Amino acid sequence: MSVGGTMADSTQPLWVPSEMRIADSELARFEAFVIARTGKHFDSYEALWRWSTEALETFWSLLWDFAGLAPRDPEAPVLHSTAMPGAEWFPGARLNYMDAIMRHADRPEPVVICEHESGDVETLERSEWQRQVAALAATLVDLGVGPGDRVVAYLHNTPQCLIAFHATASIGAIWSVAAPDLGAKGVLDRFEQIEPKVLIATDGYDYGGKTFDRSEIVNSMVEGLPTLKALVRVPATDCRAARPAQVPVLDWPDAIRGDAPLHPTAVDFAHPLWVVYSSGTTGKPKAIVHSHGGVLLEHIKQMSLQMDIRAGDRFMWFSSTAWMMWNYNIAAALVGATICIYDGNPVKPDLGRLWSVIERHRIRAFGAGAAWFESCRNAGLVPSETYDLSILDALGSTGSPLLPEVFDWIYDSVKADVYLASISGGTDFATACVGGAVSVPVVSGEISCRSLGCAVEAFDPAGVSVVDTVGELVITKPMPSMPIGFWGDSDNQRYLESYFDTYPGVWRHGDWIRITERGSAVIYGRSDATINRHGIRMGTSEIYRVVESIDGIADSLVVDLEFLGRESLLPLFVVLDPGVELTETLVGEVKTAVRSGLSPRHVPDVIHEINEVPRTFSGKKMEIPVRRVLLGQAGAEGINRETMANPDSIDWFLAAAANRLLDRGRQ
C-alpha cells in the first residue's frame, strides 16, 4: 500500500554517530543506569526500545530514578492497569511539574534567552526568573486561584508567557494558552469550555515590522468569559481600546512586584497541568487535559534520551504559543538547559534570521517546522558559508514530513556532522512518538526510530501489525502523557471516539506510517480530516463556522491535501446562495474572515464553487472520502453511494481529480 507518495529509495545513512558521540550521550548514561539496575544488556537502540515497551513499569520507574525526581514509595505500583483508556500511572505519587526545574535553580546559566524581531534581547537569569514566578504565583493566589482553577493566557512567545505558565503550574492551577494571532471566536471556542478564573493577555504584538492591536479582542474575551475574576494585562504600545470594566485589571509589572517564596504545591501524578486543543471534524475544539506527572516524565525523556539535551545546553525549537512545540521547547528547563526563543517573523529581514539567532546565542540544539527548512533550501541558502554553526550539534524537524531532498540539503549546506531528529507526534499526547536517537544513523527521508516507552506499530484495516507497508499509526500500550481526558467529556465518549473507535483498546493516531525492518519510519500524512498546517491543527468545523457566517455562502467543505514531495494544498469548496457569484471580492472576504477570525495559517489556498457538499444520511460532511478522491486514493468504486444522502454530489470531485483541477495553481 502506498499513500501519497513513494517509499524512500536508499538506506545509505547520511550521518553515522561516532563511538565518542554515542558514549557521551544521555542515552548512553541511561542505558548504563538500566544495566546497573537490571543486569540487562542491549546490542542496539531497537533492542532498548523493544525492552522499554515490553517492560513498561520497569522502564518508567527507572526513568523516574534516573531523572532524580522526588522519592516515592518503592512498593507502590507504577502502572495500576494497562487498559487504554484508563491506565493509572504512579498512583499515590505526589509531585509538581516545577520540581524538576527547581532542581537546577542554582545553575549559572539563564533560564531563558529571547530575541525579538526588533533585535532586542531579553535574558532572564535564574534568580530573577524565580522571583518573578514566585511573585506572580502569590498574585494568582491573592486573586483566589487555587489547585484545579484555570488560568488562561493570550500571549505570544516571550518570557512573560513562560513565567505565567510556571507560576500557574507551581500552585497546582491549570494552564491554557492561545496565540494572539487567533481571533476572538477562535479563542472563546477554546477558553469558554474550561471556565477560567484569570486571564493573562497582551494588548498587542509585533510581527513583520508591524504592531497588531489586540486590545479590542481582549475586551471581547473578557465579555465572553463570565467566570473571570481578573485580567492581568501585559501592555503593548499604542493600543487604543479602553480597559474592560467587567473585572479588576492588574498590569503585569504590578503582578510580578515584590518577593515571595517559591514552593511548588505537591499534587497527584494525574493532577491536570494544562489544557491544549486539538480539533476534530465536528463541534468545538477538543479540550485535551494532560497531567503534571505524565508531561514531566515524558518531556524529561524527550529532552534527555531522544534529543540529548542536558544541563548547560541552549535549546530552541522555533514555534508560536499556538503549537504544541512551544510546550516541547520549554521542557528544556526540566533538564537544566536554557530555553531560547525568537519572538517575531522568522523571515524578517530574510530567511537567514534564525540561522543568525543560532550563531548569536550559541544554540547547541535547534528545531523548526519542516516547511521552514524546505523554504531555506528552495531559496538556495548555504548557512554553513554564512554563519558560525560550530556549536550546533543537533537539528530537529516536525510539523509535516521532511522531504529526502531537504535531508540531503541539511547535510550538504548546513553541517555534515549534525544529529538530525525528524520527529512526529502530536498535541494529543504532547510529544513525539517517533523521532531520533543519537545512537541511530540518519537515513534520508526517514524518521530514525520509535521513541522509548512508546509502542508504535503500523496496523492494516484488520488491526494486524505490518512492516514495510503503509498502515495506520497506532500505539498499542499506554504512555504516561496520554490525555487524562477531555474537559467536559464526563462519559469519556468523545475521547473514545477520537482515538479508540477503529481499534478498541488501541490508540489510532490518524497518520499513515510505514515502519521499516530496521525500526525507522516514514510518515505519509494525515489519515483523518483534521487540517494540519505547519504543525498547527485546526478542526474543519472551526473553519465552517467562520466561512458559513458570510452572507451568500450556504455551505462549505474544506480538506487538507498533503502530497508527499509537494507542498500541501488547502482547498475550500463553497455552495452559494441563489444569485450569488464567486467574485474576487467574495474570495477576498472569505480569506480575510478566516485570517482574522481563526488563523492566518489556515487561509484556504484556492476556493471553488460546487453545487452540493457530499453528505451521509446522518448529515455529516464526507471530508475523508472527498480527500481520498482528490488525492487519487479512491475512484468511483471507492465511494459507497448508498450511504450518501446526495450521491450525485461526489461526481464533481471525481471529475476534478480526473482533470487535475487542483494542480492548476493557487489563487
Side-chain angles (χ1 to χ4, degrees):
M1 175 182 178
S2 178
V3 178
T6 58
M7 299 180 180
D9 296 323
S10 173
T11 59
Q12 292 300 312
L14 294 169
W15 177 81
V16 178
S18 67
E19 291 297 325
M20 182 179 298
R21 180 71 174 86
I22 296 172
D24 188 41
S25 68
E26 290 297 289
L27 182 62
R29 280 186 269 278
F30 176 71
E31 187 172 339
F33 185 81
V34 172
I35 292 170
R37 289 288 191 92
T38 68
K40 288 188 171 294
H41 292 262
F42 309 96
D43 59 7
S44 64
Y45 175 89
E46 180 72 3
L48 179 64
W49 170 81
R50 197 159 296 282
W51 167 82
S52 76
T53 58
E54 292 170 350
L56 278 182
E57 292 193 53
T58 303
F59 168 73
W60 290 105
S61 176
L62 290 178
L63 181 63
W64 180 301
D65 296 341
F66 178 74
L69 298 179
R72 58 183 181 85
D73 181 1
E75 302 301 318
V78 171
L79 184 56
H80 189 268
S81 167
T82 59
M84 288 195 296
E88 184 181 357
W89 290 92
F90 294 94
R94 303 276 289 177
L95 78 175
N96 189 291
Y97 177 95
M98 291 293 292
D99 291 339
I101 303 176
M102 294 299 292
R103 290 180 302 134
H104 305 286
D106 294 331
R107 289 199 63 85
E109 303 90 4
V111 171
V112 61
I113 299 172
C114 173
E115 180 169 320
H116 298 276
E117 186 181 292
S118 64
D120 294 340
V121 175
E122 289 184 75
T123 300
L124 202 58
E125 303 297 339
R126 290 182 190 269
S127 58
E128 179 59 15
W129 160 81
Q130 184 167 328
R131 188 201 67 75
Q132 292 190 29
V133 171
L136 183 57
T139 295
L140 293 174
V141 171
D142 289 344
L143 292 171
V145 178
D149 290 331
R150 277 75 66 202
V151 175
V152 295
Y154 188 59
L155 297 170
H156 45 122
N157 195 7
T158 63
Q160 289 76 24
C161 192
L162 181 69
I163 292 164
F165 163 61
H166 286 162
T168 300
S170 74
I171 62 174
I174 304 170
W175 166 262
S176 192
V177 64
D181 60 356
L182 278 179
K185 182 169 180 57
V187 178
L188 287 173
D189 280 349
R190 289 157 171 77
F191 288 169
E192 65 184 3
Q193 297 185 58
I194 64 174
E195 301 178 309
K197 186 171 282 188
V198 171
L199 167 65
I200 304 173
T202 182
D203 279 346
Y205 65 98
D206 294 327
Y207 191 89
K210 299 178 181 178
T211 296
F212 293 84
D213 187 341
R214 309 307 270 174
S215 52
E216 291 284 5
I217 290 179
V218 172
N219 289 354
S220 297
M221 291 164 58
V222 172
E223 292 176 3
L225 297 171
T227 57
L228 285 183
K229 303 301 182 185
L231 166 66
V232 177
R233 173 180 172 270
V234 181
T237 59
D238 299 326
C239 293
R240 300 177 296 278
R243 293 185 177 210
Q246 293 90 337
V247 297
V249 179
L250 188 63
D251 283 332
W252 179 264
D254 296 324
I256 60 168
R257 181 170 290 121
D259 296 305
L262 180 56
H263 299 304
T265 300
V267 295
D268 290 339
F269 188 93
H271 184 81
L273 172 65
W274 58 45
V275 178
V276 292
Y277 305 90
S278 184
S279 301
T281 59
T282 60
K284 291 184 178 180
K286 299 188 299 260
I288 301 173
V289 187
H290 293 132
S291 69
H292 269 256
V295 169
L296 176 60
L297 265 186
E298 173 61 34
H299 282 189
I300 286 176
K301 182 202 77 178
Q302 281 292 326
M303 290 297 108
S304 295
L305 307 186
Q306 310 295 161
M307 288 302 302
D308 197 34
I309 308 298
R310 74 284 302 270
D313 284 346
R314 293 184 175 187
F315 175 63
M316 174 181 175
W317 201 292
F318 176 70
S319 176
S320 80
T321 53
W323 192 11
M324 187 278 295
M325 294 311 295
W326 179 84
N327 307 68
Y328 191 90
N329 188 191
I330 67 172
L334 297 173
V335 297
T338 296
I339 303 163
C340 296
I341 55 183
Y342 174 74
D343 171 38
N345 188 331
V347 298
K348 184 74 173 177
D350 53 46
L351 270 168
R353 182 61 186 266
L354 293 183
W355 297 109
S356 70
V357 169
I358 296 170
E359 175 187 57
R360 194 157 36 253
H361 300 296
R362 307 290 291 167
I363 293 171
R364 177 176 170 263
F366 171 85
W372 179 79
F373 286 107
E374 185 174 352
S375 295
C376 290
R377 173 192 175 272
N378 293 344
L381 264 63
V382 184
S384 61
E385 295 180 355
T386 308
Y387 306 98
D388 178 4
L389 304 178
S390 57
I391 197 68
L392 182 66
D393 187 58
L395 285 171
S397 171
T398 194
S400 58
L402 189 65
L403 301 177
E405 53 265 34
V406 184
F407 274 82
D408 300 340
W409 172 81
I410 286 172
Y411 283 98
D412 289 340
S413 300
V414 179
K415 196 170 187 179
D417 185 19
V418 68
Y419 160 52
L420 173 59
S422 176
I423 71 175
S424 185
T427 302
D428 313 79
F429 41 63
T431 192
C433 55
V434 289
V438 294
S439 61
V440 181
V442 175
V443 173
S444 182
E446 293 185 358
I447 297 173
S448 299
C449 58
R450 290 170 277 192
S451 296
L452 296 176
C454 189
V456 174
E457 304 287 347
F459 269 17
D460 69 11
V464 176
S465 182
V466 293
V467 176
D468 267 336
T469 300
V470 177
E472 287 275 4
L473 192 163
V474 299
I475 302 173
T476 60
K477 296 181 181 179
M479 296 167 57
S481 67
M482 283 178 173
I484 56 179
F486 294 168
W487 196 273
D489 186 26
S490 57
D491 60 359
N492 238 19
Q493 189 61 34
R494 200 176 184 199
Y495 187 20
L496 288 166
E497 290 174 352
S498 296
Y499 308 115
F500 299 101
D501 62 342
T502 304
Y503 309 107
V506 173
W507 176 290
R508 185 188 74 89
H509 193 56
D511 279 342
W512 297 115
I513 189 172
R514 177 174 63 92
I515 298 171
T516 72
E517 293 281 0
R518 291 171 285 110
S520 61
V522 180
I523 298 289
Y524 290 88
R526 301 296 299 167
S527 64
D528 61 18
T530 301
I531 306 299
N532 187 341
R533 299 286 278 177
H534 308 294
I536 299 173
R537 298 173 69 183
M538 180 76 68
T540 54
S541 62
E542 297 185 80
I543 297 176
Y544 297 146
R545 280 198 294 273
V546 171
V547 171
E548 292 169 20
S549 68
I550 297 172
D551 289 342
I553 296 181
D555 205 355
S556 62
L557 181 78
V558 66
V559 293
D560 189 11
L561 303 180
E562 287 186 293
F563 302 90
L564 189 68
R566 295 167 51 191
E567 188 176 356
S568 173
L569 182 74
L570 186 64
L572 173 70
F573 307 96
V574 295
V575 179
L576 302 179
D577 289 332
V580 177
E581 295 182 0
L582 188 61
T583 62
E584 290 184 6
T585 300
L586 183 56
V587 167
E589 185 178 353
V590 170
K591 293 189 174 186
T592 298
V594 174
R595 181 180 292 107
S596 60
L598 285 176
S599 162
R601 298 173 181 84
H602 295 82
V603 174
D605 294 312
V606 292
I607 301 176
H608 290 282
E609 181 182 356
I610 58 175
N611 291 327
E612 290 182 282
V613 170
R615 292 182 182 271
T616 65
F617 282 119
S618 64
K620 291 184 178 180
K621 300 182 183 186
M622 298 178 62
E623 296 154 320
I624 293 176
V626 166
R627 181 177 183 272
R628 289 173 177 165
V629 165
L630 295 176
L631 285 172
Q633 296 168 14
E637 71 282 359
I639 300 295
N640 183 358
R641 293 174 183 256
E642 294 181 358
T643 65
M644 298 180 63
N646 50 353
D648 291 341
S649 63
I650 199 67
D651 292 337
W652 188 96
F653 297 92
L654 291 168
N659 296 325
R660 303 180 67 87
L661 174 64
L662 297 179
D663 290 347
R664 297 178 185 173
R666 299 165 183 260
Q667 292 171 344

